[in-house]
Amino acid sequence: MKQILLATFILNTSAIAFSQQTNQSKMIDSYVKETMKNNQIPGLALGIIKDGKVIFEQYYGTENLEDLKKVSSNSMFRVYSTSKLMTNVGVFQLIEQGKLSLEDPISKYIENLPQDWQNVKVKNLLSHSSGMPDVIAFNDILPEDPNNKAIERLGKEKMDFATGNEYRYNQTNYMLLTMIIEKITGESFDDFIVNHQLSDVKNQVYFSSNSFENIPNRIQKYNYNSTTNQYEKSKFNDGMRAHSGNGLAITLPAFLKWSTHLNKNDLLTQNTKEMMWKPFEYANKKDVFAYGWEINTTNTIPSYGFSGGNVSAYRVFPQNNMTIIMMSNGYNFFPLQYQIVN
């Protein structure tokens, strides 16, 4: 009799939990569809991991506006600056292996740096506190220019601020992180990230910062032209140096798998992750940012993540053992990646 009662209790409890999760999924699904309609988002993918399990994985709309191919599990979204999260993890893998330190000056790994850059450390690159001029701000630095030529050109400019003083988002930081990773490992940046973080999903990822490169299943970003009231495909080409900063295209299943590995401490130990998410101490005592990760608080719940191109966002909530991944290919009125995740 006790066994029958226990079995009945377990079945009823499971049924209630399943019903609650189903209702939550319906609410999320309804919200996403309404948001896409109101903001004319062409295509979107959304995934949620809770307690080590994927509890929500849905695909909406179209990959493009030319042939209206549906978004699917094979769609590789360009995540733009959300790519930096893989770079951050790669840097901390090398730190964990004793091959790199946050306190290392970048001159230890990169030769012929401008004099003003000699005091810049690895931690300044990750925290965007280097003060170096931003490589994307100079039109005379071409996508195909080698890194040493880009550095030589940037060295003619003054520092934007004293190193360590403040947060200022800067793509030069990640160009230099690419060079450091390649110097230490002897691998190309792309191979290092894929081999050490994405080896089990390598057919579902691709690195390219060139919008003109034709890559099967890669979804391009659409920018809305308010003059013509039409979407236009992004035409940016930042070259290979930008792979670490904005070059990743990835499917939602692959991103969910990467996140599961991160949550299970397969990529980094728990202590190393906590080090990575520790707030950087800026001299101005105002800015709040970790080592390559945004620090957010939603309903008093702390979280860490990043976003890219105003079309993708990744957020992990450690104390809730939950992760949210959102990827889209455009928006009309205003960026929605944070609104959707929140």
Side-chain angles (χ1 to χ4, degrees):
M1 185 64 179
K2 289 183 179 179
Q3 290 178 332
I4 294 173
L5 289 173
L6 179 60
T8 303
F9 173 76
I10 291 172
L11 286 171
N12 287 338
T13 303
S14 298
I16 292 170
F18 178 78
S19 177
Q20 289 175 338
Q21 183 172 321
T22 300
N23 289 335
Q24 290 172 345
S25 295
K26 287 181 178 178
M27 291 172 64
I28 295 170
D29 186 68
S30 176
Y31 166 71
V32 171
K33 288 176 179 176
E34 187 69 16
T35 301
M36 290 183 67
K37 178 182 177 182
N38 291 339
N39 294 276
Q40 300 177 21
I41 298 173
L44 185 147
L46 182 70
I48 303 173
I49 302 171
K50 182 75 172 75
D51 297 327
K53 296 180 180 179
V54 177
I55 63 168
F56 189 91
E57 180 183 346
Q58 291 294 330
Y59 304 89
Y60 304 89
T62 61
E63 286 187 355
N64 58 63
L65 299 174
E66 289 72 39
D67 59 23
L68 301 181
K69 180 182 177 183
K70 296 292 185 181
V71 173
S72 72
S73 59
N74 296 318
S75 303
M76 290 196 300
F77 282 85
R78 285 194 69 178
V79 296
Y80 292 88
S81 286
T82 306
S83 308
K84 291 179 171 68
L85 297 182
M86 280 70 175
T87 307
N88 302 335
V89 169
V91 168
F92 276 88
Q93 285 178 327
L94 295 177
I95 290 173
E96 200 168 81
Q97 295 166 18
K99 298 176 181 179
L100 183 65
S101 168
L102 289 174
E103 297 296 332
D104 283 344
I106 62 174
S107 58
K108 181 177 179 179
Y109 306 99
I110 305 173
E111 299 177 350
N112 302 317
L113 290 174
Q115 185 61 40
D116 289 344
W117 298 16
Q118 296 298 316
N119 293 327
V120 175
K121 297 181 178 180
V122 171
K123 65 181 181 182
N124 302 121
L125 303 182
L126 290 164
S127 60
H128 293 284
S129 63
S130 67
M132 297 178 295
D134 193 342
V135 65
I136 66 169
F138 299 91
N139 294 329
D140 55 340
I141 300 177
L142 304 178
E144 61 271 19
D145 284 345
N147 290 337
N148 60 347
K149 185 174 181 180
I151 291 172
E152 182 181 0
R153 170 65 185 86
L154 292 172
K156 298 176 181 178
E157 304 294 323
K158 293 181 179 179
M159 297 287 277
D160 290 340
F161 55 87
T163 299
N165 185 66
E166 62 192 74
Y167 171 96
R168 193 175 302 182
Y169 190 56
N170 185 327
Q171 303 295 350
T172 304
N173 297 322
Y174 277 75
M175 177 186 78
L176 296 173
L177 285 172
T178 297
M179 297 175 70
I180 291 171
I181 287 171
E182 293 183 339
K183 176 74 172 181
I184 292 173
T185 66
E187 298 179 83
S188 70
F189 170 82
D190 300 6
D191 286 345
F192 172 72
I193 297 298
V194 171
N195 292 339
H196 299 280
Q197 297 182 48
L198 300 163
S199 60
D200 53 353
V201 292
K202 61 175 58 179
N203 294 327
Q204 302 176 60
V205 298
Y206 197 93
F207 278 98
S208 172
S209 296
N210 183 354
S211 297
F212 298 96
E213 189 174 358
N214 186 17
I215 300 165
N217 296 322
R218 182 177 73 162
I219 297 181
Q220 294 281 20
K221 175 184 174 183
Y222 286 90
N223 297 311
Y224 191 78
N225 187 324
S226 58
T227 301
T228 62
N229 293 321
Q230 291 182 330
Y231 273 116
E232 300 170 350
K233 269 192 175 180
S234 172
K235 297 180 180 179
F236 290 107
N237 177 14
D238 295 328
M240 289 187 65
R241 75 168 68 92
H243 285 192
S244 63
N246 68 27
L248 180 66
I250 187 169
T251 66
L252 180 57
F255 212 158
L256 288 167
K257 187 162 285 190
W258 178 86
S259 184
T260 299
H261 285 310
L262 181 67
N263 294 339
K264 290 169 60 179
N265 300 334
D266 295 336
L267 304 179
L268 297 170
T269 67
Q270 185 62 31
N271 287 339
T272 303
K273 286 196 299 185
E274 291 173 4
M275 183 200 314
M276 183 171 63
W277 291 335
K278 184 179 179 181
F280 179 78
E281 295 184 5
Y282 296 91
N284 66 6
K285 306 297 183 183
K286 297 178 182 178
D287 295 325
V288 178
F289 193 74
Y291 293 95
W293 294 70
E294 291 175 335
I295 302 173
N296 295 280
T297 302
T298 307
N299 295 334
T300 72
I301 301 170
S303 62
Y304 307 91
F306 212 66
S307 70
N310 291 323
V311 291
S312 71
Y314 178 94
R315 191 84 63 80
V316 56
F317 300 81
Q319 75 178 41
N320 297 73
N321 202 15
M322 183 174 72
T323 302
I324 302 174
I325 301 170
M326 170 266 178
M327 302 185 290
S328 69
N329 59 353
Y331 59 92
N332 185 339
F333 303 110
F334 56 89
L336 291 164
Q337 72 275 14
Y338 290 118
Q339 177 179 320
I340 290 173
V341 169
N342 288 346

